Amino acid sequence: MLEKESQARIIGYSGTLTESFVAIMALVTACILNQHLYFAMNAPTAVTGGTPESAAEYVNGLGLSGDPATAAQLEEAARAVGEESVISRTGGAPTLAMGMADTMQEAFGGESMRSFWYHFAIMFEALFILTTVDAGTRVARFMLSDGLSNVKGAKRFKDPSWRSGAWLCTLIVVGLWGSILLMGVTDPLGGINTLFPLFGIANQLLAAIALTVVLVVALKRGLFKWAWIPGVPLVWDLVVTMTASWEKIFSNNRHRRTVRLRQSDSKRRAAVNGGRADQLQVLRTHRHDPDTYRKGGAAGIGRVSDEESGTVASLTRRGLRAVRWYVRSVMGDNHYRRYVEHQAARHPGTPPLSESDYWRNRYAAQDNNPPGRCC
């Protein structure tokens, strides 16, 4: 926490400059790395094959400048940083670490320190992300406790020194983070397809909160003629973000609801999916069904609203069950069951995949058509 308000400016500007430095380092890394190594690290396993030989063959076919890569060079790159393999290490962090190690070993320690700098960079990125998660958890906890304090009989949540309230709100927020982790474990596709848009929406709404605070402060101080400065971007931010959020949930256009799947090579798709491209198409159609969540959620809510003659406790239980159904659907727990129902209704003559094959094919589709990412 800040000791005084005057410290906010230096901390804010310093944090901005530090984060921009990380972005500059990422750009420098992408420029100095060998092009063949860069694409071998960032292409999905479905196209690199996961081995140095197949990865070298893949990157050499991209028409990149410079000498062709060899399997021995890719193996040596992994050995130099103390890794078994660097093939298809997507996500951005290994690439940045590889570039930082290449730069730092020339300035400090030489080739013998390359592995140290690589893992130091990995640790730096992990801490950078974890501090962001920590800050987000704290902010979410304060927002939750402040919101609960507006409920009748829960005024005590407004007191930050009340440990029981702080522990309860922290437990709820951490539980929400845990549910996101659960998505990635139980549904390799549904996790990222839910988390990535959620991250983008939350990021923009965080900016809206900051602009709202500035606008309120300006109005409280009577600076009405300057209120348009935070007000205009606030309105624009809210309109764009809320419209995108609405489209994400309710749009009939599936391309607005998720990342557009690129058409993959038919031979590669047949190899990846054991020649069952028709089953994979069913999985894609089922996954992007625009009515999946809307109709299900409306049905759940409708069942609650139709029970006007029931007791409050009964309505509450039914409402909680509807919410539980919706959350489980979003997290992917019901995907296989919905797929079986879809097969029975639309393709009665085709036997459904087993649950293990279903998830294996969805994971193969993810490798073959990787979604966009922020870093």
Side-chain angles (χ1 to χ4, degrees):
M1 301 297 291
L2 299 177
E3 293 182 357
K4 49 186 177 181
E5 190 175 345
S6 60
Q7 297 176 350
R9 177 176 296 179
I10 183 64
I11 293 176
Y13 280 110
S14 298
T16 301
L17 291 174
T18 303
E19 187 164 358
S20 65
F21 171 74
V22 176
I24 293 172
M25 283 294 298
L27 291 174
V28 171
T29 296
C31 293
I32 66 175
L33 274 184
N34 179 277
Q35 294 183 35
H36 296 81
L37 176 60
Y38 178 87
F39 282 98
M41 293 182 67
N42 287 278
T45 307
V47 296
T48 63
T51 65
E53 292 77 12
S54 57
E57 181 181 359
Y58 165 72
V59 296
N60 290 335
L62 296 178
L64 304 174
S65 60
D67 297 331
T70 65
Q73 290 173 338
L74 297 179
E75 291 175 347
E76 174 60 23
R79 186 201 62 77
V81 295
E83 295 286 343
E84 294 183 0
S85 173
V86 293
I87 306 301
S88 296
R89 295 292 300 274
T90 58
T95 306
L96 176 58
M98 185 70 76
M100 290 184 65
D102 190 59
T103 303
M104 298 299 289
Q105 63 89 17
E106 292 183 3
F108 307 102
E111 187 66 31
S112 62
M113 292 292 290
R114 181 186 292 271
S115 178
F116 168 82
W117 289 120
Y118 174 84
H119 290 93
F120 176 85
I122 291 289
M123 180 189 68
F124 165 79
E125 292 174 88
L127 292 175
F128 183 81
I129 295 171
L130 289 174
T131 53
T132 303
V133 173
D134 175 67
T137 302
R138 291 172 184 270
V139 171
R141 190 249 293 180
F142 280 118
M143 293 175 63
L144 178 61
S145 61
D146 190 63
L148 290 175
S149 67
N150 295 314
V151 178
K152 187 176 180 180
K155 295 290 185 182
R156 196 173 180 186
F157 278 98
K158 198 167 187 177
D159 181 10
S161 63
W162 184 39
R163 292 193 175 185
S164 298
W167 291 340
L168 176 61
C169 293
T170 301
L171 182 63
I172 293 174
V173 172
V174 172
L176 294 175
W177 280 119
S179 68
I180 294 175
L181 294 177
L182 184 61
M183 290 184 212
V185 174
T186 59
D187 184 2
L189 275 181
I192 188 61
N193 288 337
T194 301
L195 176 59
F196 198 81
L198 180 64
F199 172 79
I201 292 170
N203 198 36
Q204 298 306 313
L205 290 179
L206 186 62
I209 292 173
L211 289 170
T212 302
V213 172
V214 175
L215 178 61
V216 170
V217 171
L219 294 177
K220 286 286 188 178
R221 293 189 174 185
L223 304 175
F224 299 106
K225 68 176 182 178
W226 304 111
W228 66 271
I229 296 177
V232 171
L234 171 61
V235 171
W236 172 257
D237 189 351
L238 286 176
V239 169
V240 172
T241 306
M242 299 309 294
T243 301
S245 303
W246 179 270
E247 292 283 344
K248 180 66 184 173
I249 300 173
F250 297 104
S251 176
N252 289 322
N253 186 336
R254 71 183 181 91
H255 297 307
R256 295 179 184 174
R257 300 186 64 253
T258 187
V259 180
R260 183 186 294 270
L261 287 176
R262 297 186 296 274
Q263 294 296 326
S264 59
D265 180 80
S266 59
K267 293 182 180 179
R268 185 186 306 140
R269 184 171 62 237
V272 171
N273 299 287
R276 306 185 72 174
D278 55 334
Q279 292 278 17
L280 180 59
Q281 184 60 40
V282 170
L283 293 181
R284 287 178 177 171
T285 303
H286 164 69
R287 189 181 81 191
H288 297 295
D289 182 6
D291 294 330
T292 299
Y293 297 145
R294 182 175 69 248
K295 289 183 177 178
I301 296 173
R303 286 195 296 270
V304 176
S305 60
D306 289 341
E307 296 290 336
E308 296 180 356
S309 60
T311 63
V312 174
S314 176
L315 292 177
T316 301
R317 286 194 298 270
R318 290 177 179 271
L320 291 175
R321 283 198 294 269
V323 171
R324 179 176 178 270
W325 177 92
Y326 182 80
V327 172
R328 286 173 62 87
S329 297
V330 171
M331 292 177 62
D333 293 353
N334 300 332
H335 283 189
Y336 180 71
R337 178 181 57 78
R338 294 204 309 269
Y339 158 71
V340 173
E341 294 173 353
H342 174 87
Q343 281 288 99
R346 301 291 181 89
H347 309 277
T350 304
L353 298 172
S354 66
E355 186 169 4
S356 60
D357 287 339
Y358 170 82
W359 289 112
R360 187 178 298 110
N361 279 358
R362 288 194 65 171
Y363 187 74
Q366 166 70 4
D367 276 348
N368 212 23
N369 299 275
R373 61 176 187 262
C374 65
C375 54

